[in-house]
Amino acid sequence: MSTGYNFYILIALFTLLLFAYFFMACIFLLRLASFLKTRRQEKFISKWQDHIFNYLYSTEDPQNLISRIPKSKYKYLFSYLRTFLFNLKGEDLNRLKQLITETSLREYFFNKLDKLSIKNKVEASYFLRYINTEETVNLLVKKLHSSNKLIFRTTVESLAYLNAYEKINLIIDIAKKRKNLTSDSILSIILRFDKSICPILTERLDTEKSAHILLVIITVLWHFKYAEALKKVLSILFFSGDKYLIIESLRYLGEVENLDSVNALRFFLGHSKPEIRVAAIEAVGKIGDTSLEDYIISKMLDPELEVKIAAAKAMYKCSNKSEYRLLGYAKNPSNQIESIIARRIIMEKRILEND
């Protein structure tokens, strides 16, 4: 019995030892592969760096340089180019782009986009952003349907770089169906575009049924301070029962700073949910309309602590009257909580002003 038990212990230890050696071997091989890749990259740079810089500051045909670089070395070239494409500006950047747009690399990337390898598709999707043609946009649009998250994100980034804003509705429609994309992920994707998408997103407010997408759209609109969407956002604000949509809509009102929204803000200052009262106070504070300052001052006596703090912040910058009342609270120990809040806000604001 004892001999058999010891035998099994030895087998278990031997198995664990094998696994340990296996993982150590894997780590060694991965580090070796990384080391060799780095060495090959350094070797490529040492050989071709001067040629690339000479090309940048000359009138040499870009195809002459590309023709001299073996295709087997392209992966090191692309890795090297990425850094410069990200950091260069002006004529230097345009000259570097010509290596992609005016050489055989153009067709090379078109072909790679249809390869089976995910790495090839991602690389092609990335570099095609520098080839601003209708053909490029159409090819990239086809890759939006890829099930791979990295291919999808890289493709969207390239479409944004190409300012293909007319594709934004298609991008949102596809993004909605992807289970691996959160609202925050969709927002980060859409914000790759510039303000050109705002009119299209504003129109979508009329038809979009998803509260999550409406939330994303309103966030994008206030990010770009797109005041032209005010009427539609006000409609959502009053007819939506979704707390987060209401808060985001109030944030929009504060960011666009339109006085036509004052009546809406007055209504939501008295909302039953404290988070919504806070959002309304913050919006009033940004707009700075003195017609609502008495409402803001009264919120210092709100039963919820976060509402008191929001009111104190708004009072500090709303007007001389509200700031004076805030100082009054700070000096009045009989209102202990309000006094502590007022003193803290005044101290914080003055520190920031003196920085």
Side-chain angles (χ1 to χ4, degrees):
M1 184 75 175
S2 177
T3 303
Y5 178 76
N6 291 336
F7 175 75
Y8 287 121
I9 291 290
L10 288 173
I11 292 294
L13 289 174
F14 180 73
T15 303
L16 288 173
L17 192 61
L18 281 178
F19 274 116
Y21 278 123
F22 173 76
F23 284 118
M24 289 175 63
C26 287
I27 293 171
F28 173 78
L29 290 173
L30 287 172
R31 289 187 175 179
L32 179 62
S34 177
F35 171 76
L36 292 175
K37 181 180 178 182
T38 302
R39 288 295 301 271
R40 286 192 288 266
Q41 183 72 44
E42 290 172 350
K43 186 177 179 181
F44 174 86
I45 292 171
S46 66
K47 180 176 181 179
W48 292 100
Q49 181 171 251
D50 289 343
H51 295 285
I52 292 172
F53 275 99
N54 289 337
Y55 157 78
L56 283 177
Y57 302 108
S58 72
T59 57
E60 179 187 358
D61 186 337
Q63 183 59 47
N64 288 342
L65 175 60
I66 296 301
S67 298
R68 301 202 307 271
I69 301 175
K71 279 191 176 183
S72 61
K73 306 296 181 184
Y74 275 5
K75 59 182 176 181
Y76 306 117
L77 171 65
F78 302 148
S79 178
Y80 188 62
L81 290 182
R82 271 178 182 261
T83 303
F84 288 101
L85 287 167
F86 185 77
N87 291 302
L88 288 179
K89 295 181 180 179
E91 287 303 314
D92 290 340
L93 177 60
N94 292 331
R95 184 74 173 143
L96 198 64
K97 285 181 181 179
Q98 288 177 338
L99 290 175
I100 301 168
T101 61
E102 298 180 16
T103 68
S104 56
L105 289 183
R106 177 189 176 103
E107 293 302 320
Y108 176 84
F109 287 123
F110 282 152
N111 293 331
K112 284 193 77 173
L113 200 60
D114 290 325
K115 298 294 183 183
L116 292 176
S117 166
I118 290 174
K119 183 180 178 181
N120 283 333
K121 289 179 179 178
V122 170
E123 190 172 68
S125 294
Y126 176 85
F127 282 100
L128 282 175
R129 69 185 61 181
Y130 301 111
I131 305 175
N132 194 356
T133 66
E134 185 178 351
E135 180 185 10
T136 302
V137 171
N138 291 336
L139 283 171
L140 288 170
V141 164
K142 291 178 182 179
K143 296 306 168 187
L144 288 173
H145 298 279
S146 170
S147 60
N148 183 273
K149 184 178 179 180
L150 185 56
I151 293 173
F152 176 78
R153 288 190 69 94
T154 307
T155 300
V156 173
E157 289 170 6
S158 291
L159 288 169
Y161 189 94
L162 293 167
N163 198 30
Y165 62 88
E166 70 281 359
K167 304 299 180 184
I168 194 63
N169 275 329
L170 174 62
I171 291 169
I172 294 174
D173 288 339
I174 294 172
K176 281 172 63 176
K177 298 174 183 177
R178 299 182 68 96
K179 295 180 180 179
N180 58 355
L181 284 180
T182 63
S183 296
D184 287 341
S185 296
I186 295 173
L187 175 62
S188 68
I189 286 170
I190 296 176
L191 286 177
R192 297 283 183 176
F193 288 83
D194 62 20
K195 197 174 183 178
S196 304
I197 61 173
C198 289
I200 299 173
L201 294 180
T202 301
E203 290 301 313
R204 188 171 181 125
L205 291 175
D206 292 328
T207 57
E208 182 56 57
K209 303 299 182 185
S210 168
H212 294 297
I213 297 301
L214 284 172
L215 191 71
V216 168
I217 291 174
I218 293 172
T219 304
V220 173
L221 293 173
W222 72 246
H223 172 82
F224 288 115
K225 300 185 184 298
Y226 191 70
E228 290 84 347
L230 178 63
K231 186 176 179 181
K232 293 180 186 292
V233 174
L234 284 173
S235 178
I236 291 171
L237 177 63
F238 280 105
F239 294 105
S240 171
D242 187 288
K243 179 179 74 172
Y244 299 104
L245 263 180
I246 292 171
I247 291 172
E248 207 63 26
S249 298
L250 289 170
R251 189 171 293 162
Y252 169 88
L253 299 185
E255 291 296 331
V256 300
E257 300 181 15
N258 192 309
L259 292 178
D260 292 341
S261 61
V262 168
N263 288 332
L265 291 171
R266 183 183 290 112
F267 175 82
F268 283 96
L269 283 170
H271 199 277
S272 60
K273 289 186 171 67
E275 309 98 302
I276 292 177
R277 297 201 296 277
V278 168
I281 291 169
E282 290 173 346
V284 171
K286 286 190 175 182
I287 293 174
D289 182 63
T290 56
S291 67
L292 294 179
E293 66 180 345
D294 287 335
Y295 289 88
I296 299 299
I297 292 169
S298 70
K299 293 303 171 186
M300 277 295 287
L301 300 177
D302 193 278
E304 299 295 334
L305 182 62
E306 64 264 39
V307 178
K308 293 177 186 287
I309 294 172
K313 290 178 178 178
M315 287 170 67
Y316 186 85
K317 62 179 181 179
C318 190
S319 70
N320 290 333
K321 174 185 173 180
S322 62
E323 187 175 354
Y324 179 77
R325 290 291 296 274
L326 186 65
L327 286 168
Y329 275 114
K331 295 175 181 179
N332 186 359
S334 62
N335 297 94
Q336 187 177 13
I337 295 176
E338 290 79 8
S339 179
I340 293 171
I341 292 171
R343 290 200 303 271
R344 194 189 89 183
I345 296 303
I346 291 169
M347 182 178 66
E348 287 178 357
K349 296 295 184 181
R350 288 179 176 174
I351 290 173
L352 289 173
E353 289 170 357
N354 292 327
D355 279 350

